[in-house]
Amino acid sequence: MAIQRCFCGSAISFDKCCQPIVLGLQKATTAEALMRSRYVAYVVQDADYLIATTAPSHRRYYAREDILSWATQNQWQRLKIVNVTPTTVAFKAYYLDSDKQLQVHHEHSRFVFENGEWFYLDGDYFET
Ligand SMILES: [Zn+2]
């Protein structure tokens, strides 16, 4: 049986890469690992995970229904990591919109390590 590579585009199988993180069995150990798992959460439409991994101080800026509609109205194609620092990740997420047009979400995200866990803080978006 073929091993399913992780949706985040790593060479690792899904069940050893982002799946245990999204399921809450493991913590993301780096900002990049958290970012990858959050992309996967969009693929599998897990809005609760996306809220849980947003910094508590910033959760009020993100509505669950907005996250869920953004996750479900698009077909997520692939993730490309552009640049990584210990607390930031620049990436491009490719998706088909509701008109089946290929779009690119280009974001420079910031992360924070609080109480032993990585959280998403916010991001800048770029026109592509
Ligand atoms: Zn992964």
Side-chain angles (χ1 to χ4, degrees):
M1 200 175 98
I3 292 170
Q4 185 185 17
R5 282 182 48 174
C6 189
F7 297 112
C8 80
S10 78
I12 305 168
S13 65
F14 181 47
D15 64 347
K16 293 190 172 58
C17 187
C18 292
Q19 187 181 40
I21 300 174
V22 174
L23 291 177
L25 303 173
Q26 288 178 16
K27 299 253 181 262
T29 54
T30 63
E32 180 184 350
L34 182 68
M35 191 275 131
R36 287 177 176 273
S37 71
R38 286 174 51 88
Y39 170 79
V40 169
Y42 278 102
V43 176
V44 300
Q45 302 171 2
D46 189 340
D48 292 333
Y49 179 78
L50 290 158
I51 289 171
T53 55
T54 298
S57 61
H58 281 62
R59 275 179 204 159
R60 66 183 180 278
Y61 302 124
Y62 302 92
R64 188 180 187 284
E65 53 269 32
D66 294 345
I67 292 171
L68 201 55
S69 70
W70 174 242
T72 54
Q73 77 195 5
N74 301 314
Q75 285 178 264
W76 300 90
Q77 303 293 298
R78 68 187 176 93
L79 173 68
K80 183 177 175 213
I81 303 285
V82 177
N83 190 54
V84 173
T85 74
T87 58
T88 66
V89 181
F91 67 91
K92 293 181 178 180
Y94 295 82
Y95 63 95
L96 298 177
D97 66 17
S98 48
D99 296 323
K100 301 283 179 280
Q101 298 297 305
L102 184 63
Q103 305 287 349
V104 183
H105 175 75
H106 185 188
E107 178 174 337
H108 186 258
S109 299
R110 281 178 289 276
F111 298 86
V112 63
F113 193 70
E114 282 177 359
N115 301 320
E117 285 185 57
W118 282 102
F119 292 98
Y120 174 74
L121 209 52
D122 56 16
D124 297 320
Y125 311 116
F126 300 97
E127 300 295 324
T128 51

